Amino acid sequence: MAVVIAAARFWRQSRILGQAALLLLRRPGARGLAISHPHGQQEQFSSLDDKPQFPGASAEFIDKLEFIQPNVISGIPIYRVMDRQGQIINPSEDPHLPKEKVLKFYKSMTLLNTMDRILYESQRQGRISFYMTNYGEEGTHVGSAAALDNTDLVFGQYREAAVGAAYAAKRANANRVVICYFGEGAASEGDAHAGFNFAATLECPIIFFCRNNGYAISTPTSEQYRGDGIAARGPGYGILSIRVDGNDVFAVYNATKEARRRAVAENQPFLIEAMTYRIGHHSTSDDSSAYRSVDEVNYWDKQDHPISRLRHYLLSRGWWDEEQEKAWRKQSRKKVMEAFEQAERKPKPNPNLLFSDVYQEMPSQLRKQQESLARHLQTYGEHYPLEHFDK
Amino acid sequence: MAAVASAARWLFSLRAAGAERHWRRLCGAGLARGFLHPTVTGEDAAQRRQVAHFTFQPDPEPREYGQTQKMNLFQSITSALDNSLAKDPTAVIFGEDVAFGGVFRCTVGLRDKYGKDRVFNTPLCEQGIVGFGIGIAVTGATAIAEIQFADYIFPAFDQIVNEAAKYRYRSGDLFNCGSLTIRSPWGCVGHGALYHSQSPEAFFAHCPGIKVVIPRSPFQAKGLLLSCIEDKNPCIFFEPKILYRAAVEQVPVESYNIPLSQAEVIQEGSDVTLVAWGTQVHVIREVASMAKEKLGVSCEIIDLRTIIPWDVDTVCKSKESIL
């Protein structure tokens, strides 16, 4: 039957033949529609126009030509728990975290900030080669990490691999979630599209955490996308999505906690878009004054900083004060400096390690190269700074 | 019904005949002459070759691996996959259209036997397939990914070269994706054109961290594929698609391994060494016998089998014995 219809259409010779075939299709027992629907529903198909049966979508017909307007003026709303002064807006959203936990948030964020300052400076002094700071985004890191279990897997990029790991965790009944962090720039890569689609179709317990900080190196979001950010893409893949205030550590915490609970319980992906601002340069190789105003940066630093907001919260509860702040700053600086100096004293890895772990076992070609380098260094070692390398 | 069907057949054959006439006209115009038809005169018409020519040469029945069964290449692949999923509960197979059995029937019956969480379709996205496979392997489970045609492996090139190949090295062996195997139909068939014929192994041949393996026969394929799956490094296994049905051999039913990075001297010779892999091994066997017959040249034939890391020693030893 299908052959006849195909043949008829192919040569456009016999419309009668084609129409006759279509009529034949309607008989119960003939191939096509009649098979997939039970006999009782046959009345509904007196006109094939009543309800769409396309396998590709579940939707109604519309007889008005209308393009869906993307809404970028009034986009997906931003969930927050605290205002900029650290006051809880809606008490029912207060996570009611105990003092020690909130202090741990604060100390993690400020320790990170201290480490950033010291390491940025050390790069400027030539003591390390490269560094990327986290200024302004401490809330996204700490709030989300605090909501996870110790056994959960964290992928900092590698979106598709994160999905694979989540699938394996689901198969193993491991009770683990996988979280994958990426920026709004990385969300433009095909990797993100693949990751979202696979996570949704294969029902993986994964949280996609997008840090939307306004810039991908020098590229502002207006040049990165034209839709309503990253959160708006989630529903396109069938993924439950939320946009949160990334500078509000409690909002980040609440959203991640709930996403984790449901991802594991329901084996489905979640997308969290944390809105924030990159206060620092992209890296030590970047000078952002080349593409944005110092005023813009200062605004965010002064008016909406995750550390300040949490500090206001702590102060208003009497869980923190100026004296503790001074002492902690001193202590965290000391901690970072000690770790830094200890790391600086370590020699660089032994040159032999160039060849190991390429494969699990070292193939003979690599072993020969390793031996060749060893012989070379025996003869010409004086020309190399071997004293900086582990023996 | 039968009358209608035979009418359709008649109409189709008319069209085919028209096409054939058009093709002959083209050939007559001299465009294809010399290129497609090595001999032009009428008497040599019988010798004219219009499709890729080779004769698959089966190896003798293996005795050391237990009971054997007559299998073609795609059946030997199915057998290897069946053995793998049976003994490794973490093993999963995924890719485009693998659930119903695959476009080349390599995964027939496996979903019914092992379940839909172990043999499943993915969306149409090669970078996703490989990236997803890397993630599964990172957790320690065995991932067997299929890329429907080797011609489509390029969207996954970044995942293979930048991620899979470097996973162990860049983490100082803290993490690895060694339990990932990517299998893909490979090589020309005569009518595959640009995107169903490619042999892309050269693009991967200098990428440290991965292994690339190409079998010449069903027996070789099953043993090599099982070795790839069990190997603790990410492997790419290219399957010569022209051999899927054409190559038939006795293949052991149980699991067995053929070592990777070991070339095989399949014929000894004293004048020149010929190195080949995949389908071309059979072509080169014919070349060797033609050389012997027409030129009196004794050829040594080596099936390289693993492209990277390749068996330098066997090939060099072969050269030395000739000099």
Side-chain angles (χ1 to χ4, degrees), chain B residues 174-197:
Chain B
L174 280 176
F175 302 101
N176 73 79
C177 60
S179 54
L180 170 67
T181 301
I182 302 164
R183 351 171 343 262
S184 189
W186 168 103
C188 66
V189 287
H191 56 274
L194 294 173
Y195 305 112
H196 297 80
S197 311

Side-chain angles (χ1 to χ4, degrees), chain A residues 57-212:
Chain A
S58 169
E60 296 294 333
F61 280 120
I62 188 174
D63 51 29
K64 186 159 166 260
L65 174 62
E66 218 171 73
F67 290 101
I68 299 169
Q69 173 86 325
N71 192 347
V72 293
I73 304 299
S74 184
I76 293 172
I78 303 167
Y79 171 71
R80 66 173 181 168
V81 174
M82 286 190 284
D83 62 20
R84 285 180 172 185
Q85 284 71 46
Q87 302 309 305
I88 304 284
I89 299 167
N90 180 351
S92 64
E93 295 296 312
D94 186 346
H96 296 295
L97 295 173
K99 179 178 170 184
E100 315 80 60
K101 189 153 184 155
V102 184
L103 279 177
K104 189 174 179 194
F105 283 15
Y106 185 74
K107 287 185 172 179
S108 303
M109 287 160 68
T110 48
L111 181 62
L112 175 58
N113 188 273
T114 301
M115 186 177 93
D116 278 350
R117 287 170 203 273
I118 290 171
L119 268 91
Y120 187 89
E121 265 317 297
S122 71
Q123 195 276 342
R124 284 307 188 237
Q125 295 165 16
R127 292 164 87 176
I128 62 172
S129 57
F130 181 81
Y131 193 70
M132 296 175 84
T133 57
N134 300 269
Y135 299 145
E137 299 181 56
E138 299 89 345
T140 62
H141 300 330
V142 171
S144 55
L148 303 175
D149 285 6
N150 283 338
T151 50
D152 290 337
L153 281 171
V154 175
F155 282 78
Q157 58 179 327
Y158 313 131
R159 289 124 283 176
E160 306 101 311
V163 178
Y167 187 85
K170 175 175 82 163
R171 275 211 77 232
N173 282 315
N175 227 313
R176 293 164 109 173
V177 88
V178 173
I179 188 164
C180 180
Y181 293 91
F182 54 97
E184 87 284 353
S188 295
E189 283 278 1
D191 301 43
H193 166 69
F196 293 160
N197 202 22
F198 275 58
T201 53
L202 300 174
E203 298 170 359
C204 301
I206 182 170
I207 300 171
F208 290 108
F209 195 99
C210 177
R211 298 168 289 100
N212 188 331

Side-chain angles (χ1 to χ4, degrees), chain A residues 321-337:
Chain A
D321 57 44
E322 263 313 303
E323 218 178 279
Q324 287 177 73
E325 177 77 25
K326 263 214 249 326
W328 170 243
R329 274 189 196 272
K330 204 163 161 208
Q331 189 190 351
S332 50
R333 242 198 104 75
K334 185 160 178 276
K335 224 171 149 169
V336 174
M337 286 312 303

Side-chain angles (χ1 to χ4, degrees), chain A residues 1 3-4 7 10-11 13 17 153 155 158 160-165 167-169 171 190-191 193-194 197-198 201-202 204 353-361 363-365 368, chain B residues 1 4 11-12 15 89-90 92 117-118 120-123 125 127-129 131-132 135-136 139 159 163 167-170 172-173 207-211 232-233 308-310 312-313:
Chain A
M1 194 63 68
V3 174
V4 172
F10 188 61
W11 288 307
Q13 277 168 5
L17 192 60
L153 281 171
F155 282 78
Y158 313 131
E160 306 101 311
V163 178
Y167 187 85
R171 275 211 77 232
D191 301 43
H193 166 69
N197 202 22
F198 275 58
T201 53
L202 300 174
C204 301
L353 292 175
L354 276 170
F355 306 95
S356 53
D357 303 326
V358 177
Y359 295 91
Q360 192 215 26
E361 71 292 346
S364 58
Q365 284 99 313
K368 291 198 183 96
Chain B
M1 181 69 88
V4 169
L11 287 164
F12 267 119
R15 177 151 177 92
T90 72
V92 292
D117 60 319
R118 296 186 72 188
F120 53 93
N121 291 339
T122 63
C125 178
Q127 75 174 110
I129 290 168
F132 176 80
I136 289 180
T139 68
Q159 287 295 315
E163 306 299 326
Y167 222 96
R168 189 189 295 275
Y169 188 76
R170 73 184 181 200
D173 202 21
C207 175
I210 53 169
K211 299 192 177 181
K232 305 278 192 262
N233 301 285
I308 175 176
W310 63 285
V312 183
D313 291 339

